[in-house]
Amino acid sequence: MTTLNDSIDRFDQLFREHGARAQRSYPNESMIQFVASNWFSLEFEQRKTIRILEVGCGSGANLWMLAKEGFSVFGLDSSEAGLEIARVHLQGKWGVQANLECGSVTALHYETDFFDAVIDVVTLQHLNLNDSVSALSEIRRVLKPGGLFFSYRISDCSSAFLNSGGKFVDAVTVDNVANTQMPLHSNGPMSFWGASLARKMYLEQGLAIESLERVSRSYGNGTTCVEYLAISAKKTD
């Protein structure tokens, strides 16, 4: 079975080969909407009491905006190469800092009930179902009571779900999108979730979904589609 290490190795390779070009430079719009709707009403000085962790932070495309907006920002990634890019860009380009750590989302090295929010932008989509259970459990653990979890991940309505050219390692996860005609090809393991699976997985790990929005993009004059699920959830008692 495709393992977490397969995803880790693939993205570390991408950062080492392509540097900052391996990832976007600017924050995810759905993530901005999530943060804005919950905390932008706070005065700037109040925001530093809000601790936000991004899992799979990569080169810091989301972190710099969160830090600029005054939040207490933490970033976790499995790639030291990606984190080094983040360190340079956060300080050198944007003049901000974040608490960065190399590690795995399936075994977070943070205190229980520590964060007000955890953010995932296209990171958990690279975990198979077994590893996803571990990741969601750890995310719930580090969230404060009533803490929020935002995730932006590829859905099973995407063209690549049934046309990946890869091998399915469980019901929704392929070892790689090998079909070069598909967007997001050659990014290693990819897990395509539907809304019902997301609700089931979250509920089993003590996370109540409060909002689930679909975000679609078309490519090749509309011949292929990538759909994402933008999911907001709250830690339950």
Side-chain angles (χ1 to χ4, degrees):
M1 175 180 287
T2 297
T3 67
L4 178 60
N5 286 335
D6 294 313
S7 294
I8 292 172
D9 291 344
R10 178 54 180 156
F11 281 92
D12 191 62
Q13 177 187 6
L14 288 172
F15 281 121
R16 294 183 186 282
E17 290 180 353
H18 303 290
R21 293 181 292 109
Q23 193 178 39
R24 68 198 182 281
S25 298
Y26 292 89
N28 176 269
E29 292 182 1
S30 294
M31 183 276 296
I32 295 173
Q33 293 170 1
F34 163 77
V35 174
S37 64
N38 285 288
W39 296 292
F40 274 13
S41 61
L42 294 176
E43 295 294 333
F44 191 84
E45 283 302 311
Q46 293 177 296
R47 295 178 189 176
K48 62 183 166 185
T49 67
I50 305 299
R51 296 187 188 126
I52 301 178
L53 166 68
E54 182 181 12
V55 293
C57 66
S59 55
N62 297 309
L63 293 183
W64 71 258
M65 186 279 294
L66 296 172
K68 278 284 190 184
E69 289 294 338
F71 299 102
S72 180
V73 179
F74 295 72
L76 176 88
D77 203 273
S78 59
S79 171
E80 279 287 6
L83 290 173
E84 185 56 35
I85 297 169
R87 291 185 185 99
V88 171
H89 279 198
L90 288 170
Q91 182 62 48
K93 184 175 182 178
W94 302 109
V96 295
Q97 294 183 338
N99 301 283
L100 301 179
E101 179 176 338
C102 188
S104 171
V105 66
T106 62
L108 297 175
H109 297 157
Y110 303 104
E111 298 175 19
T112 298
D113 301 339
F114 187 73
F115 292 105
D116 296 276
V118 176
I119 288 170
D120 153 49
V121 178
V122 299
T123 290
L124 267 63
Q125 68 180 29
H126 295 288
L127 305 184
N128 64 36
L129 288 176
N130 285 338
D131 289 330
S132 294
V133 170
S134 299
L136 290 174
S137 176
E138 277 291 88
I139 287 168
R140 184 192 184 281
R141 179 184 65 78
V142 301
L143 281 171
K144 294 178 180 178
L148 303 177
F149 173 46
F150 172 80
S151 182
Y152 189 85
R153 60 176 304 136
I154 200 166
S155 90
D156 60 359
C157 289
S158 300
S159 299
F161 180 48
L162 296 179
N163 299 284
S164 70
K167 177 183 177 182
F168 276 87
V169 298
D170 58 39
V172 295
T173 310
V174 296
D175 60 351
N176 184 44
V177 177
N179 184 346
T180 59
Q181 302 305 307
M182 290 293 109
L184 306 177
H185 64 84
S186 303
N187 276 328
M190 191 81 73
S191 196
F192 299 85
W193 286 19
S196 59
L197 176 59
R199 291 190 177 96
K200 177 179 181 293
M201 295 285 285
Y202 277 47
L203 184 61
E204 289 176 350
Q205 299 306 317
L207 295 164
I209 291 180
E210 297 191 319
S211 173
L212 190 152
E213 304 292 337
R214 299 179 183 273
V215 182
S216 296
R217 297 177 182 174
S218 61
Y219 298 82
N221 292 323
T223 58
T224 58
C225 170
V226 176
E227 182 186 84
Y228 295 91
L229 301 179
I231 309 169
S232 300
K234 179 180 286 188
K235 178 176 176 176
T236 59
D237 295 335

